[in-house]
Amino acid sequence: MELSPLSPPRLVSNQNENIWQTLRRELLTCTSFTWAVAFITPDMLPPFKLVMEDLRAQDVHGAIITGTYLAFNQPRVFAELLKIPNLKVRITAGPFHAKGYLFDHEDWQTAVIGSANFTRSALLANQEWCVKISSRQDAALTRQLASALAGLTAASQPLTPDWLQSYAASWQ
């Protein structure tokens, strides 16, 4: 069932439509996006890169804020993210375990917030719960999330080849 952009908040899980389908639909209809996700696995990058190529043709850009918490993210994940021209990646310091996805649309925003990292198991199979909220731009909750993301962006550093080289040398 297709919901209108400003439908009531709803629970998104992998029980019926998986979380990746929800995120993919938002990506394909957004004007930009910012995600904060602690963990990213290499097996989610091929479908993500396909979507990003489609978005590049539409001049849609996005950002991902992630980190090195528990050394979970493999250097090859960062190397693949660097290859996506319409994506900016920021690296946080310290313990970072957030999972929030914010999508800007023409005159509204959608947020998906919950337990799902950007991993194949989290987005397709695990028992994960996320809440999907859509609201007019500058509504209280999406404004708070946008502010939190802006704070994370300001407190993080850009993913660069030099940063990746240093991380790869020390990663275990």
Side-chain angles (χ1 to χ4, degrees), residues 29-122:
T29 60
C30 73
T31 56
S32 67
F33 66 91
T34 304
W35 295 357
V37 289
F39 302 150
I40 302 170
T41 53
D43 51 8
M44 275 314 297
L45 294 179
F48 179 66
K49 288 170 76 174
L50 286 173
V51 172
M52 289 304 293
E53 188 60 32
D54 289 343
L55 295 180
R56 183 178 175 203
Q58 301 168 36
D59 198 31
V60 173
H61 293 73
I64 293 179
I65 304 163
T66 190
T68 61
Y69 184 52
L70 302 176
F72 180 90
N73 291 330
Q74 300 173 24
R76 68 180 175 150
V77 164
F78 294 120
E80 289 302 311
L81 291 173
L82 272 174
K83 295 177 184 177
I84 304 172
N86 53 330
L87 182 70
K88 291 183 181 176
V89 180
R90 305 283 299 185
I91 308 297
T92 64
F96 174 75
H97 205 243
K99 297 146 196 105
Y101 305 82
L102 182 65
F103 303 89
D104 291 309
H105 296 276
E106 292 297 325
D107 63 347
W108 80 94
Q109 294 173 306
T110 298
V112 177
I113 304 168
S115 65
N117 277 297
F118 198 60
T119 66
R120 185 172 197 79
S121 55

Side-chain angles (χ1 to χ4, degrees), residues 20 25 131 147 167:
W20 169 240
R25 183 180 315 108
V131 175
S147 177
Y167 179 70

